[in-house]
């Protein structure tokens, strides 16, 4: 069974997309810790980040950096936090979380945003990519 992120990549499930290359995609997390919480995902379905080739790992970090810079331009925050943490989806994903409080890194504090707000936010972040 393909991961939920592979289904997003294959457009079988919708997402609030921010950026896409031939190797990676970035979209808003559906259950965000903070406004702008974004996931950067390799299209190749690999479970654990350190199982990636060195090249793919470094390319994912460069892609995530570009998205984080756009995120910081868009969402007022003290800095963008980065985490590769969870056990929920067995498909590598880098969490980018605009932080104003360390609670936002705990994955317990969640934000509620309407579909319209998420759509508009994804477009704003995408427009700030260089
Ligand atoms: P982890 O595996 O690091 O615990 O977290 C997986 C993340 O993926 C969670 O933050 C969760 O909200 C997010 N997520 C799970 N399913 C979907 C989905 O269908 N769409 C989006 N955009 N995010 C999802």
């Amino acid at each position: 069974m393909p991961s939920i992120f592979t289904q997003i990549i294959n457009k079988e499930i919708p997402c609030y997309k921010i950026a896409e290359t031939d190797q990676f995609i970035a979209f808003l997390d559906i259950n965000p810790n903070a406004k702008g919480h974004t996931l950067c995902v390799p299209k190749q379905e690999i479970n654990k980040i350190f199982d990636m080739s060195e090249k793919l790992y470094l390319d994912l970090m460069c892609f995530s950096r570009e998205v984080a810079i756009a995120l910081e331009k868009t969402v007022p925050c003290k800095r963008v936090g980065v985490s590769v943490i969870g056990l929920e989806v067995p498909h590598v994903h880098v969490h980018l979380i605009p932080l104003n409080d360390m609670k936002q890194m705990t994955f317990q504090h969640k934000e509620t945003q309407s579909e319209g707000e998420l759509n508009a936010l994804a477009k704003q972040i995408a427009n700030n990519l260089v």
Side-chain angles (χ1 to χ4, degrees), residues 33 78-79 81 99-107 109:
N33 290 14
K78 291 181 179 164
R79 68 181 67 226
L99 296 178
N100 287 297
D101 189 303
M102 280 304 287
K103 279 201 294 254
Q104 292 166 312
M105 281 311 276
T106 63
F107 293 82
H109 173 96

Side-chain angles (χ1 to χ4, degrees), residues 4-5 8 13-16 27-33 37 39 85-90 93 95 107 110:
I4 195 104
F5 296 156
I8 287 174
I13 293 178
C15 72
Y16 302 100
F27 50 84
L28 291 176
D29 194 297
I30 204 73
N31 189 20
N33 290 14
H37 181 168
L39 302 175
I85 184 167
L87 299 174
E88 184 188 326
V89 181
H93 48 286
H95 292 267
F107 293 82
K110 294 290 176 181

